[in-house]
Amino acid sequence: MDSKTDTPVTVIGLGLMGRALADAFLKAGHPTTVWNRTAAKADALVAAGARHAPTVADAVKAGPLVVVCVTDYPAVYELLGASDVDLDGTTLINLTSGSSAQAREAARWAEQRGARYLDGAIMAVPPAIGTAEAVILHSGPQHVFQEHEPTLGALGTITHLGGDPGLAALYDVAGLAMMWSVLNAWLQGTALLGTAGVDAATYAPFAQRIATGVAEWLPGYARQVDDGSFPAEVSALETDARAMTHLIEESEAVGVNAELPMLFKAMADRAIAAGHGKEQYPVLIEEFTKPREN
Ligand code: NAP
């Protein structure tokens, strides 16, 4: 990792993730100060060269860059909102998971206290931290990111998404939507094929090719969404809807759960009822960009 080694870093929160973050900073050579509510979790890091600050206020004072990674945003406020904590002049990188609204509110809160703020989302498990495999998303002022990029680079593959501090949280959940959708679709197919004695390992490479093939459609479909124009170049939504019926009927006939295809068929039916049957699949974005009707 490319990391400027002489910049002091403070890590607040030494759970599974916070310990991995502090360890990566230490390994990159940064003078690292740590603090955790349960002090014993700092022991291994102290043995590896970290300094354990006696209080949060002292940890914040230790250097210009403070990384916080605790369970949730209320814990962030509880720790950093204490009356003796002075955030003025500090750069705060909040890698705690939360919503985009929480991130934007935390940015306002930190700025009111004189801190510069970046919100982050960690798309990795603790053992990957410190390797290129660990993708860490940041959002907030670009100049703040650029200034600390060499230090934050110790954590993995770091990315700046834009000035809106809510972006990292939104990309994070968008990624989760993609992950679970692909996995659920794969499980549906695995269940269907299982009824004919085909095991999961046999189906997996076939499923992988379909997922990769569909992923290749995304840039073209994205252009249709951005243009708000959905000419049926390869297939009309009403054709897809007939195939969905087939998937539902097959699932029910072989005794497999049909909830998932029924859900996306219901969305397609609403779009067709609204007059979009002859347009291409991404026209369904109109179903996704409004709250569910009860
Ligand atoms: P964890 O092991 O449960 O650790 C939670 C940390 O938060 C501990 O340091 C805990 O202190 C501290 N904490 C919670 N409430 C507190 C409070 N009121 N006051 C002071 N400290 C408090 O969780 P983790 O896995 O490190 O996760 C930390 C953050 O990283 C979460 O937002 C999580 O979603 C995110 N994340 C984790 C992973 C992962 O794979 N682990 C991946 C991506 C993102 P104590 O030690 O004293 O309890």
Side-chain angles (χ1 to χ4, degrees):
M1 294 294 110
D2 177 23
S3 179
K4 207 166 87 186
T5 52
D6 55 355
T7 311
V9 186
T10 291
V11 178
I12 294 177
L14 301 175
L16 288 168
M17 186 52 86
R19 291 204 295 282
L21 301 173
D23 191 51
F25 285 129
L26 271 177
K27 286 196 172 120
H30 293 279
T32 305
T33 298
V34 295
W35 182 89
N36 194 56
R37 179 178 61 181
T38 307
K41 290 187 188 169
D43 289 352
L45 291 162
V46 170
R51 172 179 167 262
H52 190 193
T55 64
V56 177
D58 187 68
V60 169
K61 264 189 239 143
L65 183 64
V66 174
V67 174
V68 58
C69 184
V70 288
T71 304
D72 53 21
Y73 279 64
V76 173
Y77 293 125
E78 194 182 320
L79 294 175
L80 298 178
S83 58
D84 60 339
V85 174
D86 180 9
L87 291 176
D88 195 20
T90 296
T91 296
L92 185 60
I93 315 282
N94 184 11
L95 299 183
T96 302
S97 301
S99 70
S100 58
Q102 285 179 313
R104 292 182 188 123
E105 178 52 36
R108 278 191 293 272
W109 182 90
E111 279 152 23
Q112 279 163 5
R113 283 157 182 77
R116 301 184 312 156
Y117 181 90
L118 290 176
D119 205 86
I122 303 173
M123 306 188 78
V125 290
I129 299 296
T131 74
E133 239 179 82
V135 172
I136 305 181
L137 311 174
H138 298 82
S139 50
Q142 184 166 18
H143 66 278
V144 178
F145 177 77
Q146 279 169 339
E147 187 181 322
H148 295 287
E149 198 173 0
T151 303
L152 296 172
L155 301 179
T157 302
I158 56 163
T159 308
H160 181 251
L161 302 165
D164 172 359
L167 281 175
L170 283 175
Y171 269 82
D172 192 20
V173 289
L176 294 176
M178 179 62 85
M179 180 183 80
W180 285 318
S181 298
V182 171
L183 289 176
N184 285 334
W186 169 67
L187 289 170
Q188 180 83 34
T190 300
L192 280 165
L193 284 157
T195 65
V198 179
D199 62 15
T202 303
Y203 174 53
F206 186 89
Q208 219 173 358
R209 277 197 298 279
I210 295 174
T212 309
V214 171
E216 281 167 9
W217 303 350
L218 297 185
Y221 278 10
R223 274 193 295 280
Q224 290 201 335
V225 171
D226 288 340
D227 293 347
S229 165
F230 308 94
E233 289 154 354
V234 292
S235 168
L237 182 60
E238 60 192 16
T239 308
D240 287 307
R242 279 193 293 275
M244 289 174 191
T245 303
H246 182 57
L247 168 58
I248 292 165
E249 287 174 357
E250 180 70 55
S251 298
E252 286 173 340
V254 296
V256 156
N257 190 319
E259 277 173 281
L260 179 66
M262 284 165 95
L263 175 69
F264 50 74
K265 173 77 165 43
M267 295 181 94
D269 285 346
R270 283 199 299 271
I272 291 167
H276 297 300
K278 306 244 177 270
E279 294 173 84
Q280 195 151 263
Y281 200 84
V283 73
L284 274 186
I285 188 67
E286 293 175 16
E287 291 299 313
F288 281 92
T289 48
K290 59 188 180 193
R292 183 183 154 181
E293 284 167 21
N294 290 312

